[in-house]
PDB file of all heavy atoms in Angstrom:
ATOM      1  N   ILE W 290      66.731 -54.309 -84.436  1.00  0.00           N
ATOM      2  CA  ILE W 290      67.249 -55.487 -85.126  1.00  0.00           C
ATOM      3  C   ILE W 290      68.771 -55.557 -85.056  1.00  0.00           C
ATOM      4  O   ILE W 290      69.344 -56.632 -84.832  1.00  0.00           O
ATOM      5  CB  ILE W 290      66.774 -55.495 -86.580  1.00  0.00           C
ATOM      6  CG1 ILE W 290      65.237 -55.359 -86.643  1.00  0.00           C
ATOM      7  CG2 ILE W 290      67.214 -56.782 -87.285  1.00  0.00           C
ATOM      8  CD1 ILE W 290      64.500 -56.445 -85.892  1.00  0.00           C
ATOM      9  N   SER W 291      69.459 -54.408 -85.231  1.00  0.00           N
ATOM     10  CA  SER W 291      70.919 -54.433 -85.259  1.00  0.00           C
ATOM     11  C   SER W 291      71.496 -54.944 -83.939  1.00  0.00           C
ATOM     12  O   SER W 291      72.455 -55.734 -83.917  1.00  0.00           O
ATOM     13  CB  SER W 291      71.470 -53.037 -85.555  1.00  0.00           C
ATOM     14  OG  SER W 291      71.091 -52.638 -86.840  1.00  0.00           O
ATOM     15  N   GLN W 292      70.919 -54.477 -82.834  1.00  0.00           N
ATOM     16  CA  GLN W 292      71.426 -54.939 -81.538  1.00  0.00           C
ATOM     17  C   GLN W 292      71.196 -56.446 -81.364  1.00  0.00           C
ATOM     18  O   GLN W 292      72.053 -57.173 -80.837  1.00  0.00           O
ATOM     19  CB  GLN W 292      70.745 -54.152 -80.417  1.00  0.00           C
ATOM     20  CG  GLN W 292      71.110 -52.672 -80.420  1.00  0.00           C
ATOM     21  CD  GLN W 292      70.374 -51.905 -79.336  1.00  0.00           C
ATOM     22  OE1 GLN W 292      69.678 -52.516 -78.514  1.00  0.00           O
ATOM     23  NE2 GLN W 292      70.543 -50.586 -79.325  1.00  0.00           N
ATOM     24  N   ASP W 293      70.022 -56.910 -81.787  1.00  0.00           N
ATOM     25  CA  ASP W 293      69.742 -58.336 -81.658  1.00  0.00           C
ATOM     26  C   ASP W 293      70.669 -59.166 -82.553  1.00  0.00           C
ATOM     27  O   ASP W 293      71.109 -60.265 -82.178  1.00  0.00           O
ATOM     28  CB  ASP W 293      68.292 -58.623 -82.006  1.00  0.00           C
ATOM     29  CG  ASP W 293      67.347 -58.069 -80.939  1.00  0.00           C
ATOM     30  OD1 ASP W 293      67.817 -57.865 -79.801  1.00  0.00           O
ATOM     31  OD2 ASP W 293      66.155 -57.826 -81.256  1.00  0.00           O
ATOM     32  N   LEU W 294      70.961 -58.655 -83.746  1.00  0.00           N
ATOM     33  CA  LEU W 294      71.882 -59.371 -84.629  1.00  0.00           C
ATOM     34  C   LEU W 294      73.280 -59.434 -84.017  1.00  0.00           C
ATOM     35  O   LEU W 294      74.001 -60.451 -84.137  1.00  0.00           O
ATOM     36  CB  LEU W 294      71.929 -58.690 -86.000  1.00  0.00           C
ATOM     37  CG  LEU W 294      70.675 -58.836 -86.869  1.00  0.00           C
ATOM     38  CD1 LEU W 294      70.819 -58.001 -88.141  1.00  0.00           C
ATOM     39  CD2 LEU W 294      70.426 -60.296 -87.219  1.00  0.00           C
ATOM     40  N   PHE W 295      73.681 -58.336 -83.374  1.00  0.00           N
ATOM     41  CA  PHE W 295      74.986 -58.339 -82.703  1.00  0.00           C
ATOM     42  C   PHE W 295      75.003 -59.384 -81.581  1.00  0.00           C
ATOM     43  O   PHE W 295      75.979 -60.124 -81.390  1.00  0.00           O
ATOM     44  CB  PHE W 295      75.290 -56.952 -82.152  1.00  0.00           C
ATOM     45  CG  PHE W 295      76.589 -56.872 -81.415  1.00  0.00           C
ATOM     46  CD1 PHE W 295      77.806 -56.844 -82.092  1.00  0.00           C
ATOM     47  CD2 PHE W 295      76.616 -56.847 -80.019  1.00  0.00           C
ATOM     48  CE1 PHE W 295      79.008 -56.773 -81.399  1.00  0.00           C
ATOM     49  CE2 PHE W 295      77.815 -56.781 -79.337  1.00  0.00           C
ATOM     50  CZ  PHE W 295      79.017 -56.741 -80.024  1.00  0.00           C
ATOM     51  N   SER W 296      73.855 -59.441 -80.852  1.00  0.00           N
ATOM     52  CA  SER W 296      73.768 -60.445 -79.780  1.00  0.00           C
ATOM     53  C   SER W 296      73.839 -61.852 -80.352  1.00  0.00           C
ATOM     54  O   SER W 296      74.491 -62.750 -79.774  1.00  0.00           O
ATOM     55  CB  SER W 296      72.462 -60.247 -78.999  1.00  0.00           C
ATOM     56  OG  SER W 296      72.431 -58.979 -78.398  1.00  0.00           O
ATOM     57  N   LEU W 297      73.182 -62.093 -81.496  1.00  0.00           N
ATOM     58  CA  LEU W 297      73.239 -63.398 -82.145  1.00  0.00           C
ATOM     59  C   LEU W 297      74.674 -63.760 -82.534  1.00  0.00           C
ATOM     60  O   LEU W 297      75.118 -64.921 -82.415  1.00  0.00           O
ATOM     61  CB  LEU W 297      72.342 -63.412 -83.379  1.00  0.00           C
ATOM     62  CG  LEU W 297      70.857 -63.691 -83.154  1.00  0.00           C
ATOM     63  CD1 LEU W 297      70.117 -63.601 -84.478  1.00  0.00           C
ATOM     64  CD2 LEU W 297      70.651 -65.067 -82.530  1.00  0.00           C
ATOM     65  N   ARG W 298      75.392 -62.771 -83.031  1.00  0.00           N
ATOM     66  CA  ARG W 298      76.777 -63.016 -83.438  1.00  0.00           C
ATOM     67  C   ARG W 298      77.621 -63.437 -82.238  1.00  0.00           C
ATOM     68  O   ARG W 298      78.409 -64.398 -82.308  1.00  0.00           O
ATOM     69  CB  ARG W 298      77.351 -61.756 -84.091  1.00  0.00           C
ATOM     70  CG  ARG W 298      78.793 -61.929 -84.545  1.00  0.00           C
ATOM     71  CD  ARG W 298      79.285 -60.625 -85.156  1.00  0.00           C
ATOM     72  NE  ARG W 298      80.677 -60.756 -85.579  1.00  0.00           N
ATOM     73  CZ  ARG W 298      81.411 -59.761 -86.052  1.00  0.00           C
ATOM     74  NH1 ARG W 298      80.860 -58.547 -86.169  1.00  0.00           N
ATOM     75  NH2 ARG W 298      82.657 -59.960 -86.407  1.00  0.00           N
ATOM     76  N   MET W 299      77.467 -62.708 -81.144  1.00  0.00           N
ATOM     77  CA  MET W 299      78.244 -63.046 -79.956  1.00  0.00           C
ATOM     78  C   MET W 299      77.843 -64.407 -79.411  1.00  0.00           C
ATOM     79  O   MET W 299      78.693 -65.215 -78.955  1.00  0.00           O
ATOM     80  CB  MET W 299      78.049 -61.966 -78.888  1.00  0.00           C
ATOM     81  CG  MET W 299      78.538 -60.585 -79.307  1.00  0.00           C
ATOM     82  SD  MET W 299      80.284 -60.581 -79.794  1.00  0.00           S
ATOM     83  CE  MET W 299      81.058 -61.012 -78.234  1.00  0.00           C
ATOM     84  N   LEU W 300      76.532 -64.719 -79.449  1.00  0.00           N
ATOM     85  CA  LEU W 300      76.074 -66.011 -78.950  1.00  0.00           C
ATOM     86  C   LEU W 300      76.597 -67.153 -79.827  1.00  0.00           C
ATOM     87  O   LEU W 300      76.903 -68.253 -79.337  1.00  0.00           O
ATOM     88  CB  LEU W 300      74.545 -66.034 -78.912  1.00  0.00           C
ATOM     89  CG  LEU W 300      73.889 -65.248 -77.759  1.00  0.00           C
ATOM     90  CD1 LEU W 300      72.383 -65.166 -77.954  1.00  0.00           C
ATOM     91  CD2 LEU W 300      74.233 -65.894 -76.419  1.00  0.00           C
ATOM     92  N   SER W 301      76.656 -66.890 -81.140  1.00  0.00           N
ATOM     93  CA  SER W 301      77.171 -67.935 -82.023  1.00  0.00           C
ATOM     94  C   SER W 301      78.630 -68.248 -81.715  1.00  0.00           C
ATOM     95  O   SER W 301      79.063 -69.418 -81.745  1.00  0.00           O
ATOM     96  CB  SER W 301      77.003 -67.510 -83.483  1.00  0.00           C
ATOM     97  OG  SER W 301      77.807 -66.389 -83.771  1.00  0.00           O
TER      98      SER W 301
END
Side-chain angles (χ1 to χ4, degrees):
I290 306 302
S291 295
Q292 294 177 6
D293 290 338
L294 289 175
F295 178 76
S296 298
L297 277 177
R298 180 181 179 185
M299 298 304 295
L300 284 171
S301 66

